[in-house]
Structures are given as structure tokens and as C-alpha cells.
């Protein structure tokens, strides 16, 4: 088994979905997370606050500079993560498809180095 990161790609532009749509997305996510648990693939998941809440630490010579906000402006940002266990990339991609359906957003699937413990 390997660990895979399912990253929710949140657009930085455009309107937020209506409260009814967000409620449906939340229900879909709860169902998705329950499916992961039942399959033994669940490790961790959570949404993130917007990039304006970020703090970036950057090495600078012998010091570390701390700045507010994202490192770079972009059209997308990391909106949430889900860490799963899967036997291979194909299985992780199947979970990624389910995540895209649940969130209605693009999902990046990326393997961790090494095996799951």
C-alpha cells in the first residue's frame, strides 16, 4: 500500500456556491469520507482557510523570513486535502474521481514516496 494525497484545487476567482449548493457538497464529502473509511483507505482529510490566512517562511541566508499571505499569486490555491491509502495509482485515481464528484472541483492525485506504514 502507498499513501496518496488528494488535493482540492480551489479557484481563487469567481463566486462561492450558494449555501444550498455548499450544503450538498458537504453531504457528498461526508458520504465520500465514509466510503473511504469503510474501504480501509481513510487516513485524514480537511479543508483549509483561504490563502490570505497563510504565513510563508522562507530561508534567507542564515535567517528565515516570515511573510503574510501566499508565496505567489495564482488563479488557484490548495483548498483542502485528503490523505488515503491505496494499493496503486489506479485505485487512488478512482478515489480521486469520487473526490472530484463530491467537491465539484479539480482534484490532484499525488503519491507519497515510500510505502504506507
Amino acid at each position: 500500500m502507498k499513501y496518496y494525497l488528494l488535493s482540492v484545487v480551489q479557484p481563487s476567482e469567481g463566486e462561492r456556491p450558494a449555501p444550498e449548493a455548499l450544503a450538498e457538497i458537504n453531504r457528498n464529502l461526508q458520504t465520500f469520507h465514509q466510503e473511504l473509511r469503510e474501504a480501509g483507505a481513510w487516513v485524514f482529510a480537511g479543508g483549509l482557510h483561504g490563502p490570505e490566512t497563510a504565513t510563508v517562511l522562507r530561508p534567507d541566508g542564515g535567517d528565515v523570513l516570515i511573510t503574510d499571505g501566499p508565496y505567489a499569486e495564482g488563479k488557484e490555491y490548495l483548498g483542502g486535502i485528503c490523505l488515503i491509502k491505496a494499493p496503486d495509482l489506479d485505485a487512488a485515481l478512482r478515489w480521486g474521481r469520487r473526490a472530484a464528484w463530491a467537491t465539484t472541483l479539480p482534484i490532484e492525485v499525488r503519491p507519497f514516496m515510500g510505502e504506507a506504514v
Side-chain angles (χ1 to χ4, degrees):
M1 291 285 237
K2 291 187 72 70
Y3 287 123
Y4 291 86
L5 179 65
L6 309 182
S7 301
V8 179
V9 180
Q10 179 77 40
S12 59
E13 298 174 354
E15 293 183 30
R16 282 184 58 117
E20 303 82 34
L22 285 175
E24 182 177 350
I25 290 168
N26 189 44
R27 284 190 301 274
N28 292 340
L29 276 172
Q30 289 177 12
T31 299
F32 171 63
H33 292 162
Q34 186 59 37
E35 290 171 0
L36 286 168
R37 285 182 185 96
E38 290 171 1
W42 170 267
V43 177
F44 172 83
L48 299 170
H49 289 282
E52 69 279 358
T53 66
T55 303
V56 177
L57 294 93
R58 191 178 5 225
D60 183 25
D63 200 2
V64 174
L65 298 178
I66 300 174
T67 57
D68 292 335
Y71 178 71
E73 294 294 323
K75 295 182 185 210
E76 302 170 328
Y77 63 91
L78 182 61
I81 62 167
C82 183
L83 180 60
I84 65 168
K85 289 188 290 189
D88 54 39
L89 180 59
D90 288 336
L93 291 173
R94 285 192 293 276
W95 286 118
R97 284 185 188 94
R98 286 283 297 119
W101 176 82
T103 63
T104 70
L105 293 169
I107 301 295
E108 177 185 318
V109 177
R110 190 182 300 189
F112 277 77
M113 295 181 188
E115 296 296 314
V117 290

